[in-house]
Amino acid sequence: MKKSKVILGFTSLIIGCFLGVLDSTIVNIALPDMAIYLGKSINDVSWVTTAYLLSFSVFLIIGSKIADQFGRKKILIVGLFIFGLSSLLCGVVKSFIFLIIMRFFQGIGAAIITPVVLPLGLEIFGKEKRGFVIAVSGGITALAAAVGPPIGGIILQYLNWKYIFYVNVPMSIIAIVFAATSLNESYDTTISKKVDILGAILLMISILCLVLPLLKGNDYGWQSKTIVSLFCICILSIIAFLFVEVKTKEPMLPLNLFKESTFTASCILYMSAGFATASPLLLLNFYLEEIFNYSPLKSGLILMTLSLASVVGIPIGSILVKKIGARFVNFSGILIVGVGTMLLSQINVNTSVASMRITLVIMGIGFGFSVQSIASSIKYLPVEKSGMASGIINAARQIGMCLGIAVLVSILNCNVTNATNNIKQDITTKINSEVNLNPIIKAKMLSKINNLNQDSTSFSKEDIIKDIDNQGKMMITKVPNDKKACSSARDDLTMLNQQKNKVEYIINYAQNTKNEKLSKAFDNTFTVSYVIVFLLSICGLFTDRKPTYN
């Protein structure tokens, strides 16, 4: 292949990698603006993100199989076309329902693109260059995750949320042209073109009914009929799927791939990496916005450190794999992520941004190392199976991420609810202990505290100190005016100043109590996360075969 075609062909793959991840991060920052434009609540608009993640997870493996059968180049172009067209329609649409549908199709396009990047990259450079292909594509993926929030913030500041989708269109067109003119077609020549329709349907139902309740269980309630029913359908469909796949000659998912222990261990390890991403990208993000009161853009710029560090960690991991083998690199990668998560559990209101960035750098390096599990997953498989293997391991990461969201968000909600109740109890006791506090002020403050939101399945917990601060300021402003209207004496004014001081003292006490107890709620959740990550890191030791010595 000519050098110019190599460059243009690989560029089309890189653009495809970049777009799929960019669109999963750039959109989140625009959700409030979408809610205002569409007249919907934030909870409703969250389906814009859910629809994308849902279709992306469901179609990864199916997209891999179809690409292996009918041509990876063709399917890449189809995926880019679907992604670009749905991006355009997301921007011009005025219907909320139609926007959700287009986001679902966007996810399908991304799911088709993602698993074909590796086999097409190997088609260009050869299997011996798999480390290079994975390092570059992984680095671009991490870079897309890093620049998504700031690019989204800039677009929102100078344009509007529609351009977050429009930006995908020209890039998709460029990638299609480069792919069509520069890539060679690639197939899995060991399989037939017969499509396992029943297996595909059962696989879609299985993943759909697993991912959807994981993403929405906290909203609907884990014991609700909807969530329980979806999990039951998931179990039944998995059983039926396995039965069908064992019997059919041309299965949708070749189960014999899992006989290679290094592939299975790599998938589990990459799934644990997906689980671990929930700690920095979700929990820490909430921490920064709820406890530090940072804006979404400022929080995004801090979290960008994680992705930028991953960009550095991926090539370092590739170099180390050549020198010391994949087992140690994969194991140490997840172990480093666990250490970083443990450091996150030590964050409090006095922690500096620089300290948080250092922790995120540590985690980013660990995530960069963990990407090497993609290389180890295909190391002992035939090269023609790299497409299907890529789809499976990427699907494993997506499911791991959904599991992380479900488990850690549920634990965080429980911890925050308990913390909120303890905060209310402590502040109520403090207010009641102030015997000289004006009864009217005391009654209003107690009423406000007793009416605080106790919804344990929502992240939008009312900020206790903000409520008390607003109520206290209102009362401080009103009381002196009432007294002045009655021509109060100097002693009365002194008494009112004392009341102001008492209210301000309670506000400060509430602020400290709120920070301490909510910080503890987050820290306990981080603790659960790093314990799970440490336990799963052992899989890294099985991602490569032990070296043999003559």
Side-chain angles (χ1 to χ4, degrees):
M1 185 181 290
K2 293 181 180 179
K3 186 176 180 180
S4 59
K5 284 195 170 186
V6 168
I7 295 172
L8 294 178
F10 197 49
T11 300
S12 69
L13 300 182
I14 289 172
I15 293 174
C17 280
F18 186 83
L19 287 176
V21 177
L22 179 71
D23 224 60
S24 65
T25 59
I26 197 174
V27 169
N28 291 337
I29 198 170
L31 292 181
D33 285 28
M34 291 183 194
I36 294 171
Y37 179 86
L38 297 167
K40 298 291 182 179
S41 67
I42 287 292
N43 190 52
D44 289 336
V45 176
S46 67
W47 275 99
V48 173
T49 299
T50 301
Y52 184 87
L53 291 175
L54 198 59
S55 58
F56 184 74
S57 302
V58 168
F59 287 95
L60 272 169
I61 296 176
I62 294 173
S64 302
K65 183 68 174 183
I66 293 175
D68 287 350
Q69 290 177 305
F70 299 101
R72 293 155 182 158
K73 175 183 173 179
K74 296 187 191 75
I75 297 302
L76 171 67
I77 293 172
V78 170
L80 288 166
F81 178 79
I82 292 172
F83 188 88
L85 180 61
S86 57
S87 296
L88 177 64
L89 294 176
C90 280
V92 301
V93 72
K94 294 184 178 180
S95 164
F96 174 66
I97 298 298
F98 192 68
L99 175 61
I100 300 302
I101 294 172
M102 288 303 100
R103 280 289 284 171
F104 189 85
F105 275 98
Q106 247 191 334
I108 293 175
I112 292 173
I113 295 167
T114 300
V116 300
V117 169
L118 179 57
L120 285 173
L122 297 180
E123 180 70 23
I124 294 173
F125 296 104
K127 188 174 181 179
E128 64 277 3
K129 293 287 186 179
R130 66 179 181 275
F132 168 77
V133 174
I134 291 168
V136 174
S137 59
I140 292 297
T141 297
L143 182 64
V147 301
I151 288 177
I154 292 169
I155 290 175
L156 291 177
Q157 184 171 349
Y158 294 103
L159 298 168
N160 61 59
W161 64 268
K162 293 176 178 286
Y163 285 87
I164 283 175
F165 297 111
Y166 291 151
V167 74
N168 297 328
V169 179
M171 296 178 70
S172 297
I173 293 172
I174 292 170
I176 288 172
V177 172
F178 286 179
T181 57
S182 303
L183 288 175
N184 292 329
E185 190 54 277
S186 169
Y187 301 89
D188 180 352
T189 56
T190 66
I191 59 176
S192 73
K193 287 182 168 50
K194 182 180 179 182
V195 179
D196 178 15
I197 297 176
L198 181 57
I201 293 172
L202 290 172
L203 181 61
M204 282 192 289
I205 294 173
S206 299
I207 298 177
L208 178 70
C209 293
L210 173 63
V211 173
L212 182 58
L214 288 176
L215 292 175
K216 287 298 182 181
N218 286 289
D219 293 335
Y220 290 96
W222 292 106
Q223 296 181 346
S224 66
K225 290 182 179 179
T226 301
I227 299 301
V228 172
S229 297
L230 285 170
F231 277 130
C232 289
I233 294 172
C234 173
I235 294 171
L236 292 174
S237 58
I238 288 175
I239 294 172
F241 172 73
L242 293 175
F243 178 80
V244 169
E245 296 304 276
V246 169
K247 297 293 183 181
T248 186
K249 292 182 179 180
E250 297 293 340
M252 173 58 62
L253 178 64
L255 299 177
N256 61 342
L257 290 179
F258 294 98
K259 292 179 180 179
E260 175 52 60
S261 60
T262 59
F263 172 74
T264 304
S266 297
C267 288
I268 296 173
L269 190 78
Y270 207 44
M271 183 173 69
S272 66
F275 178 93
T277 58
S279 290
L281 297 183
L282 188 67
L283 299 188
L284 181 58
N285 184 57
F286 283 131
Y287 195 106
L288 294 174
E289 293 184 20
E290 295 294 324
I291 307 299
F292 286 86
N293 295 317
Y294 287 168
S295 68
L297 180 56
K298 185 174 182 180
S299 299
L301 290 173
I302 292 173
L303 293 173
M304 186 171 68
T305 308
L306 178 78
S307 298
L308 292 177
S310 296
V311 174
V312 177
I314 291 170
I316 294 175
S318 296
I319 294 170
L320 289 175
V321 165
K322 293 178 182 178
K323 294 185 176 182
I324 59 177
R327 297 170 69 244
F328 177 76
V329 175
N330 287 330
F331 172 70
S332 61
I334 297 299
L335 206 61
I336 291 170
V337 171
V339 171
T341 309
M342 186 166 61
L343 293 175
L344 288 181
S345 70
Q346 304 304 309
I347 290 177
N348 56 54
V349 291
N350 298 316
T351 303
S352 66
V353 172
S355 296
M356 286 188 279
R357 288 189 185 277
I358 291 172
T359 298
L360 290 173
V361 167
I362 293 171
M363 296 189 74
I365 296 296
F367 280 122
F369 283 11
S370 72
V371 171
Q372 305 311 313
S373 58
I374 298 178
S376 62
S377 71
I378 65 170
K379 184 175 180 179
Y380 298 103
L381 295 179
V383 67
E384 60 269 11
K385 299 300 179 185
S386 59
M388 176 55 67
S390 176
I392 294 171
I393 196 168
N394 278 289
R397 186 181 187 278
Q398 283 298 117
I399 292 172
M401 185 175 67
C402 294
L403 281 169
I405 292 171
V407 172
L408 298 180
V409 166
S410 296
I411 294 171
L412 179 63
N413 273 330
C414 182
N415 290 342
V416 169
T417 300
N418 292 334
T420 302
N421 291 333
N422 291 335
I423 292 167
K424 289 170 62 177
Q425 183 178 353
D426 287 358
I427 298 175
T428 299
T429 302
K430 189 66 178 177
I431 294 172
N432 286 326
S433 69
E434 297 292 333
V435 293
N436 295 323
L437 185 64
N438 183 289
I440 296 175
I441 295 176
K442 181 183 290 188
K444 287 186 176 180
M445 294 183 78
L446 290 173
S447 174
K448 188 68 176 177
I449 291 171
N450 289 331
N451 290 329
L452 288 177
N453 185 12
Q454 299 185 52
D455 180 9
S456 62
T457 63
S458 173
F459 277 134
S460 56
K461 301 288 180 185
E462 286 191 57
D463 188 350
I464 293 176
I465 190 59
K466 181 178 178 181
D467 291 327
I468 295 176
D469 193 18
N470 291 337
Q471 187 67 36
K473 287 178 180 178
M474 182 182 69
M475 290 184 288
I476 289 172
T477 306
K478 286 183 176 180
V479 173
N481 291 334
D482 294 338
K483 290 296 181 181
K484 280 188 271 185
C486 298
S487 302
S488 64
R490 184 178 300 173
D491 290 343
D492 293 324
L493 293 175
T494 301
M495 181 193 70
L496 291 174
N497 285 329
Q498 292 173 348
Q499 293 294 306
K500 286 183 181 181
N501 292 335
K502 287 183 180 296
V503 171
E504 290 172 356
Y505 169 74
I506 293 173
I507 289 173
N508 290 332
Y509 174 84
Q511 175 73 58
N512 294 332
T513 302
K514 171 248 186 181
N515 288 337
E516 177 187 348
K517 293 191 179 298
L518 287 186
S519 292
K520 189 67 175 176
F522 277 89
D523 292 346
N524 289 339
T525 309
F526 284 128
T527 299
V528 173
S529 178
Y530 75 69
V531 169
I532 293 174
V533 170
F534 280 146
L535 292 174
L536 291 173
S537 66
I538 195 68
C539 293
L541 298 176
F542 302 95
T543 55
D544 199 359
R545 295 174 184 173
K546 292 182 180 180
T548 57
Y549 302 97
N550 295 326

